[in-house]
Amino acid sequence: MSAYLVSESRTIAADPQKLFDIVADPAMHPVIDGSGSVQAVHGDVPKRLSKGATFGMDMKLGAPYKITNTVVEFEEGRLLAWRHFNGHIWRYTFEPVEGGTKVTEQWDARPVWNKLALRLSGFPKRNRAGILGTLQRLDELAGAK
């Protein structure tokens, strides 16, 4: 695996479509975010993501900022990915397995031009911790619904 592709998986005792629907709702992103950086949606945000949809988020990594994402990969109930201006891709896959759904979240910076800056700033390691936290929150939320 590349230093610029961080991927973690977790089996969650829930239907793939239920989990997909949570992630496909931009309003849920601050709720499931395990990094603490996603603060709120902003702007005219769709209620549900689809291929080509754009959505804004209020973020905070030290200082607050806003970011706009575009959905670049979409397969209903199975795959959802978006990227922002710098090219990072956040990807979720949902695979039915015995006992529920294997959810994989990835931070894919392989297409980014300034890889060295990302690595020097600790993003791969930081994002792994955030992904693990997000999968934990998604598991807790799915069990509560």
Side-chain angles (χ1 to χ4, degrees):
M1 192 166 292
S2 164
Y4 304 102
L5 175 66
V6 178
S7 183
E8 292 291 342
S9 298
R10 181 181 186 122
T11 298
I12 299 176
D15 177 74
Q17 188 65 51
K18 177 180 181 178
L19 295 163
F20 183 90
D21 289 343
I22 292 169
V23 177
D25 179 355
M28 293 303 294
H29 291 194
V31 176
I32 64 171
D33 173 49
S35 73
S37 62
V38 181
Q39 303 295 298
V41 297
H42 81 262
D44 188 19
V45 178
K47 291 186 187 272
R48 190 166 197 284
L49 298 177
S50 59
K51 179 83 181 238
T54 60
F55 61 103
M57 289 286 158
D58 291 336
M59 306 290 292
K60 185 174 183 184
L61 277 174
Y65 63 100
K66 296 181 184 310
I67 200 150
T68 300
N69 300 293
T70 302
V71 177
V72 294
E73 300 171 22
F74 185 90
E75 290 180 43
E76 181 62 45
R78 191 184 102 51
L79 169 68
L80 179 58
W82 57 85
R83 73 163 199 284
H84 61 72
F85 71 93
N86 200 33
H88 307 99
I89 296 172
W90 289 97
R91 181 180 296 112
Y92 289 82
T93 61
F94 304 87
E95 177 186 348
V97 295
E98 188 169 327
T101 303
K102 178 182 175 186
V103 180
T104 300
E105 181 182 355
Q106 296 180 330
W107 174 77
D108 188 352
R110 293 174 298 181
V112 175
W113 64 271
N114 61 347
K115 292 180 179 83
L116 182 59
L118 288 174
R119 197 161 189 188
L120 292 174
S121 61
F123 274 103
K125 184 178 181 180
R126 180 185 311 171
N127 286 338
R128 184 172 310 284
I131 287 170
L132 290 169
T134 298
L135 292 172
Q136 172 70 32
R137 286 181 174 203
L138 186 57
D139 192 347
E140 292 167 359
L141 184 63
K145 284 193 166 197

